[in-house]
Amino acid sequence: MKLFEELKARGLIAQLTDEEEIKELINNGKATFYMGFDPTANSLHIGHFMAFCMMKRLQLAGNRPIVLLGGGTAMIGDPSGKTDMRSMMDTQMIDDNCERFKQQMENFLDFGEGKAMFVNNADWLRDLNYIDMLREVGAHFSVNRMLAAECYKQRMEKGLSFLEFNYMIMQSYDYYVLHQKYGCNMQLGGDDQWSNLLAGADLIRRKLSKNVYAMTNSLLLNSEGEKMGKTVKGALWIDGAKTSPFEFFQYWRNVADSDVVKFLKMMTFLPLEQINEMNEWQGSRLNEAKEILAYEVTQMIHGTEEADKAKAGAKALFAGGGGADIPTTVLTADDFENEAIDIVSLLVKGGLVASRSEGRRAVEQGGVSAGDDKVADFKATFNKGQFAEDGLLLKRGKKHFRRFTV
């Protein structure tokens, strides 16, 4: 199966321009394509990883990726998919985040000579003359068409700032510059970026009378991606200090039954034939498929050693053992009052809840266990002796675990 057909079979393509041309382009390794990443945090998240998987598939077929760091566009903020304007970031924070992104991205693509490359749009956007920009690029954009774009329409009721209104023009200019400097002929993005991608391709066609292409990755914003976005983007960081390998593994180990094969197709490099066989798996075999998914994704991000530890920790946890690699919070004497600590304090200190009121509700709703025992009273306390040896394991719901030691 050739690349284009495989991408479709894995459910990875949502929308694209000029299907036959793109098919010929990527199947024959003729695409120099880019995808942009605005450094709005100090770590990549799982949504970025999904994009890297797509980029890697294209690279393995001989196409050349350009990773565009948004050191310039991050100063504006993309309104796509947002209900409010982003907080303004200073240039030092943006530049620091760009460096963190580069360090993490190097683990996913081949950046050898003539292979993938890093580019930062700060190099041309930060010093851009506003009048020149209006004359060179702005004249090619219809305000009516821009306002009709989905990325703007959903913001009109709450208010769209003029700053954000310029984002589409900035992103389109990126494509134009990359085409001129590096021969970039295809832009890749999430499905929420479709309006921006079309605008960039249209700008080049208008200014240069050249045909370039755009393709959206359905994984980033289809029904699954939208559902995951609310949970994943804020929680599943690639940085192991923000989301531990064990927590990362546990998230994928506990995905819904209906999602496991879908995610295996989209996020792993296992052969489709092997994945399709899992469609028939039920019961304990379906749990085995979830474990395969969790291991494959954790291994790609954190490496084989950490994936092995996370897998062993999960097995120990479900077998009732301590699990050496379960995330742990170490308590000190100052955390105890009269040699005891209450359940809500533990939940807060371990990051299992965001506040004491949330912790109280979790207990009252029957969602908290200490070891194998349900905690029924939010006033319950634990003395130091209960943290001996392997510590005390708290569970909130099915997916959140924390071990406490003194």
Side-chain angles (χ1 to χ4, degrees), residues 10 14 81 98 100 111 118 145 155 168 196 207 219 236 259 287 315 354 373 396:
R10 288 182 180 270
C98 280
R100 289 284 297 139
F111 287 93
F118 284 115
R145 287 181 61 188
R155 285 291 304 279
M168 180 185 289
N196 291 337
K207 285 186 65 64
L219 185 57
L236 279 196
D259 286 338
N287 288 331
K315 285 186 178 297
D373 301 321
R396 178 179 156 255

Side-chain angles (χ1 to χ4, degrees), residues 158-178:
K158 294 195 69 173
L160 176 71
S161 71
F162 182 71
L163 178 72
E164 295 172 290
F165 187 64
N166 284 271
Y167 192 91
M168 180 185 289
I169 299 176
M170 297 291 99
Q171 182 168 327
S172 299
Y173 188 66
D174 286 343
Y175 198 177
Y176 174 72
V177 171
L178 293 174

Side-chain angles (χ1 to χ4, degrees), residues 26 78 99 102 111 125 137 166 200 206 243 250 252 260 268 270 272 277 285 291 306 327 335 400:
I26 66 175
D78 185 1
E99 287 305 309
K102 284 180 70 173
F111 287 93
L125 290 181
V137 180
N166 284 271
R206 285 170 178 267
T243 299
Q250 281 299 105
W252 301 108
V260 60
T268 77
L270 296 175
L272 278 171
E277 290 178 4
R285 292 225 74 191
E291 189 172 274
E306 291 297 333
D335 294 314
H400 305 284

